Amino acid sequence: ANGTAVAAFTATGATVVELTNSDWSDGVVFCRGPVEGSLARVFLDEALTQPAVGSEIDCAVPTSRAAQDWGVGVPQGSTLAMGLARGESRRLYLAPDGRWPSGACWFQDAA
């Protein structure tokens, strides 16, 4: 599978992680941290007002859109899942005081 992740910084010091599907087909990007709470300071918006944990992209929430589309995540932590069409990108924002130790994102095509 093919994809890119690019990190940059906002004016407030948040780290911007841009995930891009550069594969030959549509698919999904999964992101996970190694321990419970490791994604607590990851946000969906630049203003850092919409936490990713507990959101519609968090597979740990059985009723979330992500869990419905891609399956319920693993216990003890959040797994973020974002469907991306070919060439589409999605941004996540890590707060300046946030940590994502040994975090990982990977792409799976839908074909």
Side-chain angles (χ1 to χ4, degrees), residues 30-106:
F30 292 99
C31 294
R32 187 180 301 149
V35 294
E36 189 168 350
S38 64
L39 299 177
R41 300 295 289 155
V42 176
F43 294 86
L44 304 177
D45 64 321
E46 188 173 344
L48 309 180
T49 62
Q50 300 173 34
V53 172
S55 74
E56 284 300 304
I57 67 167
D58 186 354
C59 289
V61 179
T63 57
S64 72
R65 185 181 42 141
Q68 298 298 312
D69 290 348
W70 309 107
V72 178
V74 299
Q76 289 113 7
S78 295
T79 299
L80 307 179
M82 298 152 281
L84 294 178
R86 183 178 177 192
E88 186 179 11
S89 295
R90 175 79 186 250
R91 289 183 175 174
L92 297 174
Y93 300 86
L94 180 62
D97 63 344
R99 296 178 49 198
W100 190 350
S102 302
C105 293
W106 66 97

